[in-house]
């Protein structure tokens, strides 16, 4: 089983920045897609940003222009740079990776991001 460990969460003021990292136990280029989700209390878990094996990216409209997803093959990490943070960004952020060709999907344990007003 693939293991994922998220880090970088914490408390930040509105307008500030954080970088989240997701460290994988297997090479990140063995995954068809790498995704960041988030879930606020009482809300569904929503896709935030995704990057594919080929490097294509897509973002939720609510974070477009503020968040950037990237990958580091040497470190086996997928990162999420979050700028201009808002209180509405407060949530637990989860890393997810998949291998579509084998129907595999894996989740990290989540990391808390809290943005104060």
């Amino acid at each position: 089983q693939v293991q994922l460990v998220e880090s970088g969460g914490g408390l930040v003021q509105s307008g500030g920045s954080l970088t989240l990292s997701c460290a994988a136990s297997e090479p990140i280029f063995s995954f068809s897609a790498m995704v960041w989700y988030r879930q606020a209390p009482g809300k569904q878990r929503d896709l935030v940003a995704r990057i594919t094996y080929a490097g294509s990216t897509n973002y939720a409209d609510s974070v477009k222009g503020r968040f950037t997803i990237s990958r580091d093959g040497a470190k086996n990490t997928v990162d999420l740079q979050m700028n201009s943070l808002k209180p509405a960004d407060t949530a637990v952020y989860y890393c997810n990776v998949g291998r579509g060709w084998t129907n595999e999907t894996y989740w990290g344990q989540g990391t808390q991001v809290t943005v104060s007003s």
Side-chain angles (χ1 to χ4, degrees), residues 51-70:
I51 186 166
T52 69
Y53 172 85
S56 298
T57 59
N58 63 275
Y59 299 89
D61 287 342
S62 59
V63 307
K64 193 172 298 181
R66 300 188 297 120
F67 291 11
T68 303
I69 189 169
S70 62

Side-chain angles (χ1 to χ4, degrees), residues 7-106:
S7 62
L11 175 65
V12 66
Q13 291 184 344
S14 181
S17 299
L18 284 174
T19 299
L20 306 182
S21 292
C22 173
S25 62
E26 297 183 17
I28 60 169
F29 286 99
S30 70
F31 307 119
S32 59
M34 295 142 281
V35 191
W36 282 99
Y37 288 81
R38 68 185 182 188
Q39 187 170 24
K43 303 296 180 70
Q44 66 179 311
R45 187 172 298 185
D46 292 328
L47 186 148
V48 177
R50 183 172 74 108
I51 186 166
T52 69
Y53 172 85
S56 298
T57 59
N58 63 275
Y59 299 89
D61 287 342
S62 59
V63 307
K64 193 172 298 181
R66 300 188 297 120
F67 291 11
T68 303
I69 189 169
S70 62
R71 57 191 175 177
D72 188 327
K75 297 179 179 179
N76 285 336
T77 62
V78 55
D79 303 321
L80 186 69
Q81 175 66 48
M82 306 185 294
N83 298 322
S84 301
L85 284 162
K86 307 172 181 178
D89 296 319
T90 295
V92 177
Y93 284 70
Y94 296 91
C95 182
N96 172 267
V97 302
R99 297 186 176 113
W101 48 88
T102 55
N103 199 32
E104 298 175 76
T105 187
Y106 302 95

